[in-house]
Amino acid sequence: MITYNEKLDETLVSGCLQNGLKYYIIPKKSYAEKRVLLTVKYGSVDDTFMTGWKAYTAPMGTAHFLEHKLFDNENGSAFDEFEALGAYVNAYTSFNNTAYYFSCSDKFLPCLETLFGFVSSPEFTDSSVEKEMGIISQEISMYDDNPAWAAYFDMLSCLYEGHPAKNVVAGTRESIREITKDTLYTCYKSFYVPENMYLICVGGFGERDIELIIEASGRLLQGNGRRAETLLPDEHVNVVKRKSVKKMRVSRPIFQIGFKGREYGVTPAKACAYKLALDLFIGDSSKLREELIKRKLADDSLSFDYVFGEKYGYATLAGESEKPFELLEVCREKAREICENGFCEADFVRLRRKHIGRFIRGFNSVEAITSASAEYAVKDSDAFRYFEGYTQAGLDGCNSLAKEFFREEGYAVSVIEPE
Amino acid sequence: MTLHLLHARKFKTNVITVLLRTELTEENAVNNAMLAGILRLGCEKFPTEAEISRECEEMYGAALEINVVKKGEEHLIQLYIEVIKYEELFERAGSLIGSLLFEPLTDGGGFCGEYFELQKSRVREAIAGRINDKRKYALERCAEIMCENERFGVPAEGRAETLDRLTPQSVYGYYLRMITESAIEVCVIGDIEEDACIKWASRYFARSRVEIKRYKPAVIICGKRALKEVREKMNVAQGKLVIGARCGAASVGVDFYRLLVFNEILGGGANSRFFKNIREKHSLCYYVHSFLYRAKSIMIIQAGIDGNDYEKTLELIAAQIEEARDGGVTQDELENAKKTLITRTQTLTDSPQELTEFFMTNALLGDGAEVSDVRGFIESVTAQDARRSAAGINLDTAFFLEGI
């Protein structure tokens, strides 16, 4: 299917192949770069799933470990193969998915074959698993030293009791010690099936290139079977703990406030409305931000986001502040005001314009389009539908979402204080 | 003032970047840090931070940044604005940049007192906050120790003691001198008519300026000294090792590209000698790589390792350089490194930010090379050249941020 969006002035070629793979191709005329990303809907939230009739729980950090190990094969590593083709290759694991991608300016077809090749041929041995322990332990230590990261995951532990949304993606040094080659094979067989994969291609692809991609993807990606069913616990709508405080070597307190969402199955329009509502509430031009700065409670380190997936969704507010709990009180007070009066229409119109402009700007970057598309794809959506989400989002939607901010028992704050 | 204009139809946006150049000194660094923030806090047309933000939001989410950056032995204030290509947005964005830079808010012969105090606390926070990003902190400490007797050793945000001496009047005086004497580089990339661009530039930048400063190129130190090792303790889970090495290559011309190719082989990415040996073979780290401070001909090697692996890692790093010096590099390594770097020169034309960076670096270094010349330089590098680059590398300083 070929869709053209006039406002973006972009074309999307999308479809589903016989083998189950879904593809999203966005050609960028006159661009030298060609980027291809293959994503699997298997991330850190998928640790517990059905194998046959039984429930299986992999150790925390397995999806990420598997991502590392897929690069190795008996001949060496996929890095070597891409190097010989003059391409850059990398991968990442997040809450909802794992992604493998390469970037090149020519020879994209041999690169595509290599990508399908290594993702389709798992070779896990005891010694290679053991070797990776050291590397991933260092990766975990690197994150451990990041205070913003610590604040984030402490906040998630306050929000969620059993839901794996709170799990650290790379796991812990102790949890990865439990991973064996059998663990990896089990998880691989359960999730790395074509019907659970999505191909994103962005860059200087011509019409003929697109035909070749579609043909090669149908031919090279074999396999059948359904994706295993992820088992997720039911979560209470309220938070587990209201606050968490920890000490680390930082110059001033770092905080993360989380608002636990009560609904699931968020549509593009709803996700856009969430982002608009947060921007209206505490964005750069908001009265709340002005007041926080005036009272020396916040500065330009303040940021916000909305994150969601299967059976979870939360908004975050983060930054640095000398008095994070006082900041929290000022925000709560403002939230009460917004609940009563709603947001101002002129502000809404201006901010929607800002978000639309920023979305268009994002289309300059092959990398940005690719990683955003991967996130949308595993939610069975695409960039064009998200763009429409902004035009569909209304003031009423933002007002009702704002009522969710700071609902009693629905938010938590984690603070990292100076030692 | 030099205006670089590049016509590019393929982007969704038009970008304006303005660089004000100063020598890297403690005084200038802290004054620039103050100035960059004060300019963003308000101007005559939009007197508050929130009003400036609203203006940007009205312009379909124009992205505005005013910050300071250290490049070679210069310290720069950078103003940047990016707008989508809707009608009249370029003019409106250009006008905002002009207002922010040339019509700041003043109060009795100095900057507005409230904004001065606010920015002073922000700069103080930025200086104290260096320890928050442990990896970046280790990087800065290595450069400061290695170059403690050179201009390059001055930290990008300046020092707190120098900050204390400033007043709203002194920073305003600094600002007036700066807009009169600093060399200014302006880069515009997008779908803009040359006339429209020159009209905007003339309106704001065509002012009488005398004695525009000239800047000395960064001092490149060659020669060997015994490795200086400095360890600092902090409550960290992972030790951050940063090694600075002197390379003795010129910053402009083919010599630099010979070093660049060798750097790619040694520590550029997942196919480099560092990655293959120190990470994959010995499992000592998750990240290990090297990059160049071009103007100073300094190579920085970074690795995140366990506290107990300092000596072993240092030995392995030195061994990789010695092996390249004694045994050279393979033809495969050479070709792959060149391919990677050439691909980068091709894809840099896909990004207005990377294009801006390319032109600005040229301006600062006095380099007239086009992108196609750079490709030619890279292609010309031989295995002998890479070996000679290896021979020119002297490990100078090792800084290790270790756990308690």
Side-chain angles (χ1 to χ4, degrees):
Chain A
M1 185 169 68
I2 301 180
T3 334
Y4 172 71
N5 186 298
E6 202 179 330
K7 259 204 197 123
L8 286 168
D9 188 22
E10 297 284 355
T11 302
L12 169 65
V13 180
S14 59
C16 182
L17 297 177
Q18 270 245 307
N19 55 17
L21 177 78
K22 294 182 197 59
Y23 60 87
Y24 301 88
I25 304 173
I26 296 178
K28 298 283 289 171
K29 217 166 81 164
S30 315
Y31 272 66
E33 183 181 3
K34 295 178 173 72
R35 185 172 281 241
V36 175
L37 180 148
L38 182 66
T39 184
V40 187
K41 191 175 167 184
Y42 169 57
S44 61
V45 298
D46 299 299
D47 281 341
T48 301
F49 53 92
M50 295 296 289
T51 50
W53 296 107
K54 293 204 293 202
Y56 177 91
T57 300
M60 191 166 55
T62 299
H64 171 253
F65 204 106
L66 178 48
E67 174 232 301
H68 269 239
K69 280 334 304 165
L70 222 44
F71 277 87
D72 286 347
N73 56 48
E74 63 184 4
N75 299 321
S77 100
F79 288 121
D80 299 332
E81 294 178 65
F82 281 98
E83 182 188 25
L85 294 164
Y88 170 81
V89 66
N90 210 336
Y92 61 83
T93 308
S94 66
F95 302 118
N96 302 322
N97 59 319
T98 310
Y100 304 86
Y101 64 94
F102 69 81
S103 166
C104 65
S105 53
D106 61 2
K107 299 209 185 90
F108 80 87
L109 211 48
C111 285
L112 185 66
E113 290 175 17
T114 308
L115 178 66
F116 283 135
F118 88 83
V119 174
S120 302
S121 4
E123 277 173 46
F124 311 129
T125 66
D126 290 325
S127 61
S128 77
V129 166
E130 184 58 37
K131 185 210 77 165
E132 208 67 33
M133 297 281 179
I135 295 171
I136 294 182
S137 289
Q138 281 308 318
E139 189 178 351
I140 291 169
S141 296
M142 182 181 82
Y143 296 132
D144 283 348
D145 285 335
N146 182 332
W149 196 257
Y152 190 79
F153 283 96
D154 285 351
M155 177 273 289
L156 288 178
S157 294
C158 291
L159 247 42
Y160 294 100
E161 176 156 36
H163 197 292
K166 66 181 170 129
N167 288 349
V168 179
V169 174
T172 63
R173 276 180 290 273
E174 296 72 38
S175 73
I176 65 171
R177 284 260 136 231
E178 308 298 311
I179 297 172
T180 66
K181 68 173 196 279
D182 295 322
T183 320
L184 299 179
Y185 276 119
T186 304
C187 292
Y188 181 89
K189 284 193 200 114
S190 304
F191 292 100
Y192 279 69
V193 291
E195 68 117 39
N196 195 36
M197 296 187 183
Y198 307 77
L199 187 74
I200 319 286
C201 305
V202 183
F205 295 105
E207 258 180 62
R208 180 70 189 130
D209 295 333
I210 294 174
E211 285 168 17
L212 290 168
I213 290 169
I214 295 174
E215 188 278 324
S217 306
R219 177 172 40 89
L220 295 166
L221 200 60
Q222 299 299 327
N224 45 34
R226 317 275 344 258
R227 176 195 198 274
E229 188 196 337
T230 301
L231 297 170
L232 295 166
D234 283 324
E235 266 287 327
H236 200 279
V237 292
N238 294 338
V239 304
V240 178
K241 221 165 60 150
R242 301 297 296 271
K243 78 174 190 200
S244 153
V245 181
K246 190 192 265 176
K247 288 192 193 292
M248 278 178 79
R249 180 82 205 277
V250 288
S251 61
R252 59 180 175 160
I254 289 176
F255 68 89
Q256 269 274 358
I257 303 172
F259 307 108
K260 189 170 184 177
R262 283 196 275 199
E263 57 173 344
Y264 313 122
V266 174
T267 59
K270 202 97 193 224
C272 293
Y274 255 112
K275 297 200 172 168
L276 278 167
L278 284 165
D279 206 349
L280 279 160
F281 182 62
I282 199 168
D284 288 334
S285 62
S286 65
K287 290 270 177 319
L288 175 55
R289 176 83 65 123
E290 266 191 279
E291 182 170 350
L292 290 171
I293 290 177
K294 200 157 121 193
R295 289 165 68 154
K296 298 199 178 14
L297 297 172
D299 58 23
D300 56 5
S301 68
L302 203 53
S303 69
F304 48 84
D305 199 6
Y306 177 66
V307 178
F308 68 100
E310 295 278 348
K311 281 189 165 185
Y312 76 95
Y314 55 86
T316 65
L317 190 51
E320 295 177 25
S321 172
E322 291 297 343
K323 300 181 182 151
F325 294 102
E326 207 176 303
L327 176 145
L328 185 62
E329 278 317 302
V330 177
C331 289
R332 263 167 38 118
E333 190 47 52
K334 191 67 179 183
R336 271 194 277 271
E337 211 186 285
I338 300 291
C339 274
E340 274 183 44
N341 307 327
F343 293 118
C344 154
E345 172 112 37
D347 290 339
F348 171 79
V349 169
R350 189 184 69 249
L351 282 178
R352 187 169 59 183
R353 187 186 263 215
K354 166 192 169 184
H355 282 237
I356 286 171
R358 290 287 174 104
F359 200 96
I360 294 172
R361 175 183 171 227
F363 265 80
N364 260 351
S365 160
V366 168
E367 185 181 346
I369 303 169
T370 307
S371 53
S373 295
E375 219 189 287
Y376 303 145
V378 298
K379 291 169 179 159
D380 286 313
S381 192
D382 58 65
F384 284 11
R385 304 231 303 263
Y386 266 83
F387 188 54
E388 290 311 305
Y390 279 115
T391 48
Q392 284 157 17
L395 178 58
D396 288 341
C398 293
N399 282 337
S400 40
L401 283 171
K403 289 193 164 75
E404 288 293 298
F405 299 159
F406 290 108
R407 70 177 169 86
E408 278 306 307
E409 308 294 333
Y411 68 94
V413 58
S414 97
V415 177
I416 305 289
E417 286 179 339
E419 281 174 337
Chain B
M1 173 273 226
T2 316
L3 174 63
H4 314 261
L5 167 61
L6 181 72
H7 277 297
R9 283 240 160 76
K10 71 187 190 186
F11 301 124
K12 302 280 188 235
T13 57
N14 293 320
V15 182
I16 300 174
T17 309
V18 178
L19 280 188
L20 293 107
R21 301 169 65 170
T22 70
E23 257 180 15
L24 176 58
T25 64
E26 298 226 12
E27 286 295 320
N28 289 349
V30 95
N31 272 292
N32 289 342
M34 284 296 293
L35 194 48
I38 289 173
L39 294 179
R40 179 60 182 88
L41 287 170
C43 62
E44 279 169 23
K45 211 161 155 202
F46 304 102
T48 65
E49 216 177 356
E51 282 171 84
I52 296 172
S53 296
R54 274 196 277 281
E55 172 66 0
C56 291
E57 286 166 1
E58 291 284 1
M59 288 194 276
Y60 282 88
L64 171 71
E65 302 270 342
I66 308 182
N67 51 24
V68 293
V69 60
K70 181 174 150 179
K71 251 190 132 70
E73 284 175 340
E74 285 186 45
H75 198 261
L76 317 163
I77 294 186
Q78 178 173 265
L79 291 95
Y80 167 96
I81 193 161
E82 184 174 12
V83 281
I84 59 171
K85 289 194 303 195
Y86 283 9
E87 286 176 36
E88 287 153 23
L89 284 186
F90 176 77
E91 218 180 284
R92 195 167 167 182
S95 164
L96 178 59
I97 289 284
S99 300
L100 290 171
L101 184 51
F102 296 112
E103 295 152 12
L105 277 183
T106 57
D107 183 18
F111 281 122
C112 158
E114 188 193 330
Y115 289 173
F116 173 86
E117 289 307 324
L118 181 54
Q119 184 58 17
K120 193 165 166 186
S121 65
R122 285 182 180 180
V123 174
R124 202 183 295 284
E125 269 315 324
I127 295 171
R130 291 198 320 149
I131 52 140
N132 296 333
D133 182 338
K134 320 298 180 208
R135 190 169 156 177
K136 190 167 168 223
Y137 174 70
L139 184 59
E140 290 173 358
R141 285 291 292 138
C142 182
E144 284 156 30
I145 293 165
M146 182 173 172
C147 301
E148 58 197 344
N149 299 317
E150 300 157 63
R151 279 182 291 154
F152 194 67
V154 172
E157 311 87 359
R159 298 209 162 93
E161 315 83 72
T162 326
L163 181 62
D164 289 331
R165 293 200 290 268
L166 303 182
T167 68
Q169 291 73 30
S170 73
V171 182
Y172 185 63
Y174 176 86
Y175 159 79
L176 290 174
R177 279 193 306 280
M178 208 211 192
I179 55 169
T180 318
E181 298 168 356
S182 283
I184 301 180
E185 308 287 340
V186 179
C187 188
V188 176
I189 299 189
D191 201 359
I192 303 292
E193 291 301 324
E194 196 170 320
D195 288 342
C197 191
I198 291 176
K199 185 171 160 207
W200 160 73
S202 309
R203 177 166 168 211
Y204 289 100
F205 294 92
R207 45 192 64 218
S208 158
R209 308 207 311 142
V210 292
E211 289 196 51
I212 296 185
K213 279 192 144 56
R214 295 191 167 282
Y215 304 93
K216 291 188 284 248
V219 173
I220 294 177
I221 291 183
C222 309
K224 241 182 140 130
R225 70 167 180 189
L227 181 71
K228 182 172 184 179
E229 293 178 72
V230 175
R231 294 166 95 128
E232 210 172 283
K233 285 197 193 293
M234 196 188 276
N235 190 4
V236 288
Q238 178 192 60
K240 321 288 181 206
L241 172 62
V242 183
I243 299 170
R246 307 266 185 194
C247 307
S251 58
V252 175
V254 72
D255 229 16
F256 166 69
Y257 293 99
R258 289 173 180 148
L259 179 61
L260 189 66
V261 170
F262 179 65
N263 176 72
E264 191 63 30
I265 293 171
L266 188 66
N271 300 300
S272 67
R273 291 197 173 190
F274 285 155
F275 193 91
K276 286 183 169 149
N277 285 288
I278 302 169
R279 171 173 150 155
E280 293 298 303
K281 189 164 160 197
H282 293 270
S283 298
L284 287 175
C285 56
Y286 168 70
Y287 74 86
V288 59
H289 66 107
S290 62
F291 68 89
L292 302 171
Y293 283 127
R294 180 176 171 177
K296 288 288 288 178
S297 199
I298 286 175
M299 178 187 285
I300 295 285
I301 301 160
Q302 294 187 81
I305 54 174
D306 197 77
N308 299 322
D309 292 327
Y310 169 77
E311 290 298 343
K312 186 168 182 195
T313 311
L314 190 52
E315 264 169 48
L316 284 169
I317 286 172
Q320 294 309 314
I321 299 173
E322 274 153 40
E323 269 171 47
R325 188 172 54 218
D326 300 335
V329 303
T330 68
Q331 205 48 39
D332 273 349
E333 275 178 316
L334 180 72
E335 290 313 315
N336 290 335
K338 282 159 71 168
K339 249 186 271 179
T340 303
L341 291 171
I342 287 178
T343 302
R344 247 177 248 160
T345 67
Q346 289 164 336
T347 57
L348 89 83
T349 61
D350 288 344
S351 158
Q353 288 76 22
E354 286 196 51
L355 280 165
T356 301
E357 178 73 27
F358 180 81
F359 290 120
M360 291 305 204
T361 303
N362 274 4
L364 295 174
L365 293 174
D367 188 356
E370 304 270 348
V371 179
S372 51
D373 297 324
V374 169
R375 261 177 230 145
F377 286 141
I378 294 170
E379 260 150 21
S380 75
V381 176
T382 65
Q384 252 310 60
D385 293 332
R387 190 173 182 168
R388 268 195 228 110
S389 291
I393 293 176
N394 293 307
L395 299 185
D396 187 289
T397 302
F399 176 82
F400 191 46
L401 186 67
E402 58 185 346
I404 292 173

